[in-house]
């Protein structure tokens, strides 16, 4: 469920924040970061456990990252669009029907 939610929302959020023409490169960077974290995150946690003898410090790091990821959507707002810049709309959007 976590991967499906991420893969379903990341392209739409990227288009909303950076415009449709920038989705490909930015989405590629997002997937690269996701893969990097998936490959090296467990290694980092294992090294932290080996150094301290406990998972406690690693769990605090994970909790901090999760807290930041919860707060970011609440803090960040959509960028202002310049006049004439295309806004991203969903099919069936009321603004699209009114036009």
């Amino acid at each position: 469920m976590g991967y499906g939610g991420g893969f379903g929302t990341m392209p739409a959020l990227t288009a909303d924040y950076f415009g449709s023409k920038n989705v490909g490169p930015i989405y590629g960077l997002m997937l690269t970061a996701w893969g990097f974290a998936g490959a090296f995150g467990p290694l980092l946690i294992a090294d932290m456990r080996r150094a301290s003898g406990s998972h406690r410090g690693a769990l605090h790091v994970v909790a901090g990252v999760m807290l930041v990821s919860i707060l970011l959507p609440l803090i960040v707002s959509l960028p202002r669009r310049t006049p004439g810049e295309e806004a991203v709309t969903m099919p069936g959007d009321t603004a699209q029907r009114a036009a």
Side-chain angles (χ1 to χ4, degrees), residues 58-91:
L59 291 175
H60 285 121
V61 170
V62 171
V65 169
M66 291 176 71
L67 180 64
V68 169
S69 68
I70 289 170
L71 294 176
L72 275 177
L74 300 173
I75 296 170
V76 176
S77 62
L78 285 174
R80 295 178 191 237
R81 301 209 182 271
T82 59
E85 187 177 357
E86 172 186 325
V88 179
T89 57
M90 296 299 290

Side-chain angles (χ1 to χ4, degrees), residues 20-74:
S20 324
K21 64 182 176 182
N22 299 316
V23 170
I26 293 173
Y27 190 55
L29 288 172
M30 291 167 72
L31 289 176
T32 301
W34 193 341
F36 185 82
F40 293 107
L43 296 174
L44 174 66
I45 290 174
D47 283 344
M48 291 178 74
R49 184 189 183 285
R50 193 171 327 140
S52 67
S54 170
H55 282 106
R56 184 180 207 112
L59 291 175
H60 285 121
V61 170
V62 171
V65 169
M66 291 176 71
L67 180 64
V68 169
S69 68
I70 289 170
L71 294 176
L72 275 177
L74 300 173

